[in-house]
Amino acid sequence: MAAVNITRVTEFILIGVSDHPELQLPLFFVFLVIYGLTAAGNLGIITLTSVDSQLQTPMYFFLRHLAIINLGDSTVIAPKMLINFLAAKKSTSYYECATQLGGFLVFIVAEIFMLAVMAYDRYVAICNPLMYTVVVSRQVCVLLVSLTYLYGLFTAVVVTSCVFSVSYCSSNVINHFYCDNVPLLALSCSDTFFPQTVVFTSAATNLFFSMSIVLVSYCNIVLSILRIRSSEGRKKAFSTCASHMTAVTVFYGTLLFMYLQPQTSHSLDTDKVASVFYTLVIPMLNPMIYSLRNKDVKAALKRFGAHPGHSIRQME
């Protein structure tokens, strides 16, 4: 029997958001604006929560790290995406693709659990306010954030290793705008049962546990708010978690839309639309949600705008 000549893939071609040539330049400017707003908004949140003395609380400590995660997530995706809009050959090397997938997984998993940590923080603040400074101490905050990043890194290493442990032979065109595990595994020329199982199990487990924390926290928060007798007290309690509830609803709503579609109507094109939302649009929206709906952040922004040098010196 003659030996089969198998060509191993050394690079991948990313189709992108659209494969229509006439849309490449308009889409470049649209996503350039989105990424610019994302970078400016999240850097603004990081700066404000770092330099303003009145924002040195656990809630804003977590918000700062959510902004870092959002900025990291979009930065892993957007620059390469923008380059490919203008490039004649929309290619990415094998190892660059693996690095992008790993980076994306670090930040998306960290975001899932950072939102859960922030929900727990609001639960303690509203349901057990007298113990808040003890339960959510500085040491606990650092521990929760560190575990979130470490778990994101662990997940990225395991899943990326599994996805790139299979063989990629001749087909190298990815129907996506970045290297994601599902379209990558669809190209493999070897058995993908194990990596697909790892990907599905990881995604399902992460969503289940993080959403369970969020739902349990907010069920208790709603019950506690309803027990408050004065309407002013209920309004004040609700306002402290309104921004986070909005961010959680948008983020998990997008993920559930993506993963709970019937298999008959599921397509990679639908995945691309959902992916644009949670990798690029949501990181742009979060700073707006937390600043427009938050009196403390708006007040800090005014103070920083009026006396930027003084705000920075306070932290020195």
Side-chain angles (χ1 to χ4, degrees), residues 11-301:
E11 67 175 12
F12 294 97
I13 306 297
L14 293 163
I15 290 179
V17 177
S18 171
D19 57 357
H20 295 287
E22 68 276 9
L23 293 178
Q24 301 306 300
L25 194 59
L27 286 173
F28 168 80
F29 286 111
V30 168
F31 285 101
L32 180 64
V33 170
I34 290 174
Y35 181 59
L37 291 173
T38 300
N42 285 290
L43 285 171
I45 292 291
I46 294 166
T47 302
L48 281 179
T49 55
S50 298
V51 304
D52 193 280
S53 59
Q54 295 186 36
L55 299 184
Q56 304 306 306
T57 63
M59 181 173 72
Y60 295 109
F61 177 77
F62 296 134
L63 178 58
R64 183 190 316 154
H65 285 279
L66 179 64
I68 291 170
I69 290 166
N70 283 161
L71 182 60
D73 193 12
S74 58
T75 300
V76 167
I77 305 298
K80 183 64 178 179
M81 179 186 186
L82 292 170
I83 291 169
N84 282 345
F85 278 128
L86 303 179
K89 185 180 181 183
K90 307 176 191 302
S91 63
T92 181
S93 73
Y94 183 91
Y95 293 105
E96 185 181 16
C97 189
T99 302
Q100 186 181 55
L101 175 60
F104 163 72
L105 289 171
V106 168
F107 290 114
I108 198 69
V109 172
E111 182 170 5
I112 288 171
F113 283 98
M114 188 59 68
L115 289 171
V117 167
M118 293 174 75
Y120 172 73
D121 169 70
R122 291 299 82 206
Y123 157 73
V124 177
I126 292 172
C127 300
N128 199 2
L130 297 179
M131 294 294 292
Y132 181 68
T133 55
V134 176
V135 176
V136 192
S137 63
R138 177 71 180 180
Q139 292 79 7
V140 171
C141 290
V142 172
L143 177 63
L144 289 173
V145 168
S146 300
L147 289 174
T148 297
Y149 285 125
L150 287 172
Y151 182 70
L153 181 61
F154 169 77
T155 303
V157 170
V158 171
V159 173
T160 304
S161 298
C162 288
V163 170
F164 282 88
S165 66
V166 298
S167 299
Y168 296 95
C169 305
S170 55
S171 180
N172 69 338
V173 179
I174 302 174
N175 185 18
H176 219 306
F177 58 91
Y178 69 95
C179 292
D180 197 8
N181 43 48
V182 174
L184 270 167
L185 289 174
L187 299 179
S188 176
C189 58
S190 60
D191 181 29
T192 60
F193 175 78
F194 179 71
Q196 283 181 332
T197 303
V198 171
V199 168
F200 175 79
T201 303
S202 174
T205 303
N206 292 339
L207 278 175
F208 174 77
F209 281 108
S210 62
M211 287 189 68
S212 296
I213 294 168
V214 170
L215 289 173
V216 170
S217 297
Y218 275 106
C219 283
N220 282 284
I221 287 170
V222 170
L223 291 174
S224 293
I225 291 175
L226 291 176
R227 284 196 291 265
I228 299 173
R229 294 184 177 182
S230 69
S231 59
E232 187 64 30
R234 286 195 297 269
K235 183 179 178 181
K236 184 177 180 181
F238 180 77
S239 67
T240 64
C241 57
S243 298
H244 185 253
M245 287 177 67
T246 304
V248 163
T249 302
V250 173
F251 182 77
Y252 283 111
T254 304
L255 289 182
L256 290 175
F257 168 79
M258 182 173 174
Y259 286 107
L260 297 183
Q261 294 176 77
Q263 195 63 32
T264 53
S265 63
H266 190 86
S267 70
L268 288 176
D269 288 333
T270 307
D271 285 354
K272 282 197 285 187
V273 174
S275 296
V276 165
F277 212 79
Y278 68 73
T279 59
L280 298 169
V281 176
I282 289 178
M284 177 190 70
L285 292 177
N286 277 346
M288 299 179 189
I289 292 170
Y290 282 102
S291 58
L292 296 177
R293 297 180 61 88
N294 190 301
K295 293 180 181 179
D296 292 338
V297 173
K298 287 191 283 187
L301 186 59

Side-chain angles (χ1 to χ4, degrees), residues 2-8 169-170:
V4 179
N5 184 20
I6 298 177
T7 304
R8 298 293 177 182
C169 305
S170 55

